[in-house]
Amino acid sequence: RAPDLAVRIEDATFENAAYVGRLPHLVRLHVQGEREPLHVADLRRMTRINIANLSLEAALFAGAVLSGGEHTVRLSSGSLVALWPLRTRERLNLSSRDLKDPDLAVLLGALSLNRCLKELDLYDNPAPESSVLKAAMIAALPWALLRHHPFLQLAATGHPLHRIVVVPHRLVVEAQP
């Protein structure tokens, strides 16, 4: 019920971010390492949000806060991504967008709400690089098949994951050469 919450870098998991994103009375979120707190109430009201200067950890929490809204985020490359298609489309192509880890982290909240997603193309992006982000991806993606697949478990330990394709009875994971 407190309006302020402080989180440490170690708290940056998808599960923690999803929990914090659902706190109804949260006004300010202080993420360790960020100069300014995230003004949660303001973020929820805004339709366009620039996340270019957020750390990976702050972006993960911001994405959870924004996940269910009608928001458009400006990524570090300058491109705009609307969150509602991430929640509703079967196929998403985010390839060649110069996505960095914080960019992908802010999109995970909306992606986690998509129950019909069959293809997510992340080919030719720098992200995901961080093991924190790879672990968050495994937790956020809604498919039980992906969560327990050995290729994604390798991804969480440093295997570069760039393309995930889910086809009935088959999973294709393309790694960067």
Side-chain angles (χ1 to χ4, degrees), residues 11-143:
D11 297 328
T13 65
F14 181 77
E15 293 84 356
N16 287 343
Y19 176 80
V20 168
R22 291 189 302 267
L23 295 175
H25 301 292
L26 186 61
V27 176
R28 284 172 301 282
L29 178 63
H30 304 268
V31 179
Q32 181 182 10
E34 292 290 312
R35 291 186 319 192
E36 297 289 326
L38 294 174
H39 295 277
V40 174
D42 293 341
L43 282 176
R44 288 182 175 143
R45 282 192 297 270
M46 298 169 70
T47 56
R48 285 192 167 200
I49 299 139
N50 186 349
I51 62 97
N53 297 320
L54 291 181
S55 66
L56 166 64
E57 296 81 11
L60 192 60
F61 284 99
V65 166
L66 301 172
S67 64
E70 299 299 315
H71 307 284
T72 300
V73 293
R74 181 173 302 279
L75 305 175
S76 62
S77 65
S79 65
L80 296 170
V81 175
L83 296 183
W84 69 266
L86 301 182
R87 295 190 305 266
T88 59
R89 295 204 175 142
E90 285 187 2
R91 288 175 176 70
L92 293 167
N93 184 349
L94 297 173
S95 65
S96 304
R97 292 201 180 205
D98 197 28
L99 294 177
K100 310 260 185 309
D101 281 0
D103 299 327
L104 190 50
V106 81
L107 303 178
L108 282 181
L111 285 169
S112 73
L113 300 176
N114 188 329
R115 297 295 175 222
C116 62
L117 188 60
K118 293 180 182 169
E119 184 176 332
L120 173 60
D121 190 345
L122 297 172
Y123 185 73
D124 203 23
N125 283 300
E129 290 182 320
S130 161
S131 61
V132 169
L133 179 58
K134 290 174 186 176
M137 287 178 69
I138 292 167
L141 296 175
W143 321 294

